[in-house]
Amino acid sequence: MIRIGQAGIPLSCKGRTNKDGIVYTHKSLDLNAIEIQFVRGLYVLSEEEAQFIKEYAQKNDIEIHVHAPYYLNLAGDHEEIMMSYEKIMKSAQMANNIGSKTLIIHPGYYGEYNSKKALKVIVKNAKKIISLFKKEKLKVKLAMETMGKQKVFGSFDEIIEVCTYVKDIVPILDLGHIHARGNGCIKTREDFEKIFDKLKPLRLRHYIIHVTGVLYENGNELYHVPIKKGDMPLAPLIDVILDRNLNVTLISESPLLEHDAVYIRLQVEKAIMKRTGKESAYYKDLSEVMKK
Ligand SMILES: [Zn+2]
């Protein structure tokens, strides 16, 4: 299955609440995933809005993810770690209330630590969070994103290591970040294949992927640009997904948000048509190109 959506309320959606955003994503865009952003401070949904979003998503088969506030540091000093726990738990409760599949976090900064030590500290603190999730009986999964700057913990390899040590954590493949951190390392089909090969030991049944164009310098992300303006190709990614029969959710994080989500959808449909030889395709129907 391929799910497609965007990170945030669509730009062309008149209403500016998350409730408006999910309805628009389904009704006007016919997309089936959304990442809700709790990134600027802590967005608090009313009980009524949370209930609506949960029911609407279930009824219309929309997959929800939630992004926690950006500033967290699971490798920081005591105070920063406590602040991170608090933000994560508050966001996780809310994410859980709206039926979100994941709560996506940025792990933290190396500070004085080397990669190995930072990994150790982050694994320890992530385990603590997982136990808090269990204690609160949250169904939402903690997810950790690959990060696009050298001073930030979260290279692709580091995120794989965290997920190896902490089984309950889901990796978020932010391809723009992996590409930027590797100074433009994703260029060909083989580069995408290598990414999925590396993930094999985690035995994931579902891949959550952030897609955007990105500008970078010396292995650091500068900013996001529209997919077509970036130098990471989209077609080979879609080919690998279809060839390997991968179950994925593709979230557009481009500044064009839903416009690029729809662009992803069109590229997926183009790839399906190429395979079936037919003149139309629908991204939700992969019956002719994939095994069930
Ligand atoms: Zn993020």
Side-chain angles (χ1 to χ4, degrees):
M1 179 169 205
I2 299 182
R3 285 185 181 271
I4 303 170
Q6 76 288 321
I9 300 163
L11 301 168
S12 49
C13 173
K14 251 195 200 159
R16 300 313 296 163
T17 66
N18 285 310
K19 179 175 157 180
D20 300 324
I22 192 168
V23 172
Y24 191 88
T25 299
H26 172 64
K27 270 201 181 158
S28 300
L29 303 170
D30 191 22
L31 297 175
N32 54 3
I34 187 167
E35 186 178 303
I36 291 177
Q37 309 292 91
F38 286 177
V39 294
R40 315 238 173 263
L42 197 56
Y43 187 85
V44 180
L45 294 162
S46 70
E47 221 169 278
E48 188 201 345
E49 193 180 3
Q51 190 65 22
F52 176 91
I53 291 173
K54 185 177 183 175
E55 285 173 11
Y56 191 85
Q58 272 170 359
K59 201 172 97 203
N60 298 295
D61 189 32
I62 316 291
E63 185 177 282
I64 301 177
H65 297 277
V66 166
H67 200 304
Y70 289 137
Y71 192 78
L72 298 172
N73 191 3
L74 293 181
D77 58 22
H78 179 74
E79 207 177 299
E80 281 188 316
I81 289 168
M82 289 302 132
M83 170 277 290
S84 302
Y85 282 173
E86 198 190 315
K87 282 190 188 170
I88 290 170
M89 289 313 292
K90 271 194 191 163
S91 319
Q93 287 286 4
M94 195 56 75
N96 200 64
N97 289 348
I98 59 174
S100 178
K101 209 165 169 145
T102 65
L103 176 75
I104 302 170
I105 63 163
H106 295 176
Y109 298 80
Y110 297 110
E112 304 292 306
Y113 298 148
N114 61 22
S115 165
K116 224 173 152 189
K117 174 72 182 162
L119 175 78
K120 223 172 145 184
V121 175
I122 285 173
V123 162
K124 189 184 102 202
N125 291 324
K127 280 185 175 161
K128 177 83 199 289
I129 295 165
I130 296 290
S131 71
L132 291 172
F133 275 30
K134 286 193 177 140
K135 206 171 126 201
E136 301 284 328
K137 299 196 167 56
L138 303 182
K139 283 194 191 135
V140 65
K141 286 256 179 195
L142 186 67
M144 204 178 271
E145 184 178 321
T146 58
M147 301 302 297
K149 289 196 172 104
Q150 300 294 328
K151 65 172 183 187
V152 184
F153 179 90
S155 69
F156 183 42
D157 290 337
E158 286 167 344
I159 296 298
I160 292 176
E161 282 215 65
V162 173
C163 296
T164 307
Y165 291 122
V166 194
K167 286 275 176 280
D168 287 308
I169 294 188
V170 178
I172 301 292
L173 296 184
D174 190 307
L175 292 176
H177 286 167
I178 296 173
H179 186 63
R181 197 168 180 134
N183 229 5
C185 61
I186 308 178
K187 294 218 165 69
T188 62
R189 181 194 162 99
E190 287 68 41
D191 296 328
F192 287 109
E193 285 182 332
K194 263 188 248 158
I195 289 177
F196 291 107
D197 286 346
K198 266 192 169 179
L199 289 165
K200 269 189 187 154
L202 295 180
R203 311 176 81 129
L204 304 172
R205 266 175 277 157
H206 176 217
Y207 299 86
I208 306 157
I209 305 175
H210 282 164
V211 185
T212 179
V214 67
L215 286 190
Y216 50 86
E217 196 178 75
N218 304 322
N220 286 301
E221 162 193 37
L222 294 175
Y223 47 87
H224 290 189
V225 295
I227 293 175
K228 281 192 223 170
K229 297 253 157 97
D231 63 353
M232 181 174 65
L234 182 60
L237 168 66
I238 294 166
D239 279 335
V240 172
I241 290 169
L242 290 176
D243 288 345
R244 295 194 178 193
N245 200 8
L246 301 177
N247 178 22
V248 300
T249 300
L250 299 166
I251 302 281
S252 160
E253 276 208 333
S254 124
L256 300 180
L257 288 184
E258 78 275 18
H259 302 284
D260 265 350
V262 171
Y263 175 69
I264 294 170
R265 171 185 169 169
L266 293 175
Q267 297 305 307
V268 167
E269 292 177 343
K270 219 168 102 183
I272 297 171
M273 286 188 267
K274 211 170 126 194
R275 282 155 201 254
T276 59
K278 293 187 176 167
E279 275 170 32
S280 70
Y282 185 37
Y283 77 103
K284 289 183 188 173
D285 179 11
L286 301 176
S287 57
E288 291 184 62
V289 289
M290 269 190 187
K291 291 168 276 156
K292 279 260 162 65

